[in-house]
Amino acid sequence: MSITQISLSLSFPLAYASCYCAPSLGLFFNLSCHHHRRRRRRRLPTALPPTTSSVPKTTVTTIISFLPRFLDPHFLTGNCLLSRMERFWTGSGIGTNKDMVEKLQTYGVVRSKKVSEVMENIDRAFFVPDDVPPYVDTPVPIGYNATISAPHMHATCLQLLEKHLQPGMRALDVGSGTGYLTACFALMVGPEGRVVGVEHIPELVASSMENIKKSAAAPLLKEGSLSLHVGDGRQGWAECAPYDAIHVGAAATEIPPALIDQLKPGGRMVIPVGNIFQDLKVVDKDSDGSVSIHDETSVRYVPLTSREAQLRDN
């Protein structure tokens, strides 16, 4: 797939929006605002690191009619913002789980041997609805106003947490959904480690267990080093704390204190934070207990909320 440099000239009513760019994709937005003469450039979110490969110089002018839909909390979930423009591939030509992982390697999302091995061993097809092509780079609805994230977001989170998912370590997956990342974590830490998935929709917990039983992580579920529980993930799972790695699969308005408390010194948490505009934040706890936070990329996830609120519009 060739990536074309795009210049998008359009009027946009938000005063702060003047120019966005995704240099790693050669994607640029020139958003002219009538209230401000000065233009500034903001980086558009992307899961891809900057690349040294050349980008075609072709310029295309268009209007993005779906920009206002950013305000819809269900527009993009578990994806880079604007990923419908940045989708790395469609289902065409991707017939196996291995093909999917190789595509992620091609685009630089999967960069380590360990992550590629785990994603090859845990077949995504076991974790998406039967009537959905499993290897398309897009989030997929799984019912109950929840989704399974796009493959590139799974890969991004695995890369960010890899050093904290070594054999024997402990991991917590908040909003475990279909159980896909929970299963990946379990393979990475092995039988000597411990992985806990927490999901507040009982039906999803039950179906995720069935999904995992079909996968390479089935023995770990049977032996008990991998477990899934019904609960409010905002409170973590104190019984098995502290955790070397914590992943949160829904966007919190702020980082839940309980999760920071349950993060082990030296550990790392990856969590989307925000409302309309969200950032994937990386939270590192130093050996002395101090916490540092940085933004990895902008994303769009469903909200981390109560079970009642999540099901309200179901």
Side-chain angles (χ1 to χ4, degrees):
M1 181 182 77
S2 63
I3 299 175
T4 302
Q5 187 173 13
I6 303 175
S7 175
L8 303 165
S9 301
L10 49 105
S11 295
F12 195 62
L14 297 180
Y16 57 80
S18 56
C19 185
Y20 289 83
C21 65
S24 66
L25 297 182
L27 179 61
F28 294 86
F29 293 90
N30 296 318
L31 305 180
S32 59
C33 178
H34 299 298
H35 298 90
H36 293 271
R37 293 179 180 272
R38 186 170 61 90
R39 301 165 71 86
R40 62 192 174 114
R41 176 168 291 176
R42 292 185 181 180
R43 181 168 179 143
L44 187 83
T46 174
L48 286 177
T51 177
T52 57
S53 61
S54 61
V55 178
K57 303 290 187 180
T58 308
T59 300
V60 180
T61 301
T62 187
I63 293 181
I64 308 177
S65 61
F66 60 80
L67 275 174
R69 296 181 65 194
F70 286 178
L71 304 180
D72 179 359
H74 301 296
F75 173 45
L76 290 178
T77 55
N79 239 337
C80 287
L81 198 62
L82 281 184
S83 62
R84 289 192 179 179
M85 295 191 65
E86 298 182 6
R87 184 183 297 173
F88 304 143
W89 69 87
T90 63
S92 177
I94 306 295
T96 68
N97 193 65
K98 183 176 177 63
D99 290 341
M100 181 192 77
V101 177
E102 288 177 351
K103 277 287 187 181
L104 290 168
Q105 290 174 306
T106 298
Y107 289 107
V109 186
V110 170
R111 301 183 299 279
S112 75
K113 181 179 179 181
K114 183 66 175 178
V115 170
S116 65
E117 287 177 348
V118 167
M119 292 190 72
E120 285 181 11
N121 285 326
I122 300 296
D123 195 329
R124 182 177 166 91
F126 295 138
F127 296 87
V128 299
D130 293 336
D131 59 343
V132 175
Y135 309 121
V136 179
D137 189 38
T138 186
V140 175
I142 57 174
Y144 310 98
N145 286 328
T147 65
I148 177 174
S149 293
H152 75 265
M153 282 309 302
H154 283 152
T156 297
C157 292
L158 287 170
Q159 286 289 163
L160 289 170
L161 292 171
E162 180 184 8
K163 293 181 180 179
H164 306 272
L165 293 167
Q166 299 300 310
M169 290 185 171
R170 291 178 171 244
L172 173 65
D173 188 16
V174 172
S176 50
T178 66
Y180 176 82
L181 270 187
T182 324
C184 290
F185 294 163
L187 279 196
M188 294 181 81
V189 304
E192 63 271 36
R194 186 75 169 88
V195 173
V196 175
V198 179
E199 168 62 56
H200 60 194
I201 307 295
E203 294 86 350
L204 288 180
V205 173
S207 62
S208 66
M209 288 183 179
E210 296 304 313
N211 296 339
I212 292 173
K213 288 176 183 177
K214 304 172 191 174
S215 76
L220 301 172
L221 181 65
K222 183 177 180 180
E223 295 164 6
S225 60
L226 163 60
S227 62
L228 296 112
H229 307 271
V230 177
D232 185 345
R234 296 171 296 182
Q235 302 304 315
W237 196 258
E239 181 180 332
C240 297
Y243 299 98
D244 299 278
I246 298 177
H247 167 264
V248 182
T253 54
E254 59 184 22
I255 301 173
L259 298 183
I260 294 178
D261 291 342
Q262 292 175 29
L263 188 62
K264 185 178 181 179
R268 169 172 283 189
M269 172 165 51
V270 175
I271 176 172
V273 177
N275 187 5
I276 295 174
F277 297 100
Q278 303 169 1
D279 292 305
L280 187 67
K281 294 186 181 291
V282 177
V283 181
D284 290 305
K285 182 179 281 190
D286 295 334
S287 57
D288 62 0
S290 60
V291 173
S292 60
I293 303 171
H294 75 265
D295 294 344
E296 181 66 21
T297 185
S298 296
V299 291
R300 190 64 169 157
Y301 280 72
V302 294
L304 182 67
T305 184
S306 67
R307 180 176 183 269
E308 294 72 24
Q310 181 171 328
L311 296 178
R312 189 171 296 146
D313 299 323
N314 192 40

